[in-house]
Each structure stands twice: as structure tokens, then as C-alpha cells.
Amino acid sequence: PQMPVSVTADSGRFEQDAGSGLYRGNVELIQGKRKLFADEMRLFTRNGELIRVEASGTPVRMEEGEDLQAHANNLVYDIRQRTLVLTGDAYIEHLGNTFEGAKVEYSLDSKRVDASSEGDQRVRLVIPAENQIPGNDKTDNADSEPTNP
């Protein structure tokens, strides 16, 4: 079962029949460790269950505990597919690795990131040294075997 979702905003309207809500002004959505902040957010539900969030802002920000931080001009969160699509100066930092591009797609389950460029905006990926595969570096580190027996 999903964790409960709470939304706060300066103004909001939820249409039960349509199963959608529109929230404006300092919108904050919280679901467990996942937090979304936006200027405007549209929520879509089916049978009372949240299935999709579309957010826009300058920028929209999202964080999930310490593991994931993201921001972009637009964010679409598909709750059932557990995917995020960030567009417009998209930036995502996951476990210390950062991805930037015009569009970044992220799967919350497989932790897979797909970044794509647009026009002259290239994709950029930064992997900090400590996240690289151990054994690739030839420098001594505390985990390696002592060289002198």
C-alpha cells in the first residue's frame, strides 16, 4: 500500500468527480520521505488513489531523504510506474552522482537515470571519485591490503 500523501498550498481545488486537483502557490507535497515543492501542482487520482503528479515551478524541487535531490522547471511523477520525468534545466542528484540535461527520466525502483539533451544543452554526468568502482584507482586507501607484509 502507498504511504499517505499530504498537500499544502496557498490555494487549491480538488474535483472528486474528475479525480484531479490543482494547487497553486508554495505547494508542498509530502509522501513519507519524498517531498515535492512547486509553484503549481496538479494531482490525478483513480479510485481515491494518487496516480500522477504534474508540477511546475521556478524550479520544482524534489527530495527523497538523503538519497535523491532534483530540480527542474517541470516535473511529472508517475506513482504507479514509479518514474520521474524532469524537463527544463533538469538536475538530479542521486547518491552523490549528478545528472543534468534538458530532460532527465528517473526510475525510483531500478535507480536508472536517462538524460537527454535539447538544442545546445548537453547532458552532463558527474560521478564523484568516492562513488567510482573500487579497485580502479591505484592509490592506497584504507580498504586495500597493506603492501608490506
Side-chain angles (χ1 to χ4, degrees):
Q2 286 183 6
M3 300 194 76
V5 173
S6 80
V7 180
T8 53
D10 293 343
S11 68
R13 184 180 76 234
F14 189 81
E15 294 171 27
Q16 197 73 47
D17 294 345
S20 68
L22 177 62
Y23 300 86
R24 288 199 171 102
N26 299 308
V27 191
E28 191 175 302
L29 178 146
I30 298 177
Q31 182 187 27
K33 288 196 307 181
R34 190 169 302 137
K35 294 179 183 166
L36 264 168
F37 307 94
D39 299 334
E40 187 174 297
M41 203 177 287
R42 209 175 266 279
L43 304 186
F44 300 90
T45 64
R46 187 169 294 153
N47 304 325
E49 189 180 31
L50 184 64
I51 55 170
R52 184 181 171 90
V53 176
E54 295 177 2
S56 59
T58 49
V60 179
R61 290 183 303 118
M62 177 176 174
E63 56 192 54
E64 186 159 357
E66 300 289 300
D67 294 349
L68 175 74
Q69 293 187 1
H71 56 80
N73 296 334
N74 297 286
L75 179 148
V76 175
Y77 172 28
D78 185 319
I79 282 107
R80 290 191 301 186
Q81 300 288 322
R82 289 180 52 79
T83 56
L84 289 172
V85 178
L86 302 134
T87 50
D89 289 326
Y91 169 95
I92 194 162
E93 180 185 325
H94 176 252
L95 298 173
N97 302 331
T98 58
F99 303 85
E100 293 174 65
K103 179 179 179 183
V104 176
E105 294 181 54
Y106 178 72
S107 163
L108 293 163
D109 289 330
S110 68
K111 310 280 193 260
R112 186 179 137 161
V113 178
D114 287 305
S116 49
S117 60
E118 199 171 87
D120 56 3
Q121 189 180 9
R122 305 279 303 270
V123 171
R124 204 165 87 97
L125 158 62
V126 179
I127 301 175
E130 65 269 17
N131 285 11
Q132 290 167 18
I133 298 149
N136 283 358
D137 56 346
K138 295 287 172 268
T139 56
D140 291 330
N141 60 40
D143 300 330
S144 63
E145 298 292 309
T147 42
N148 308 330

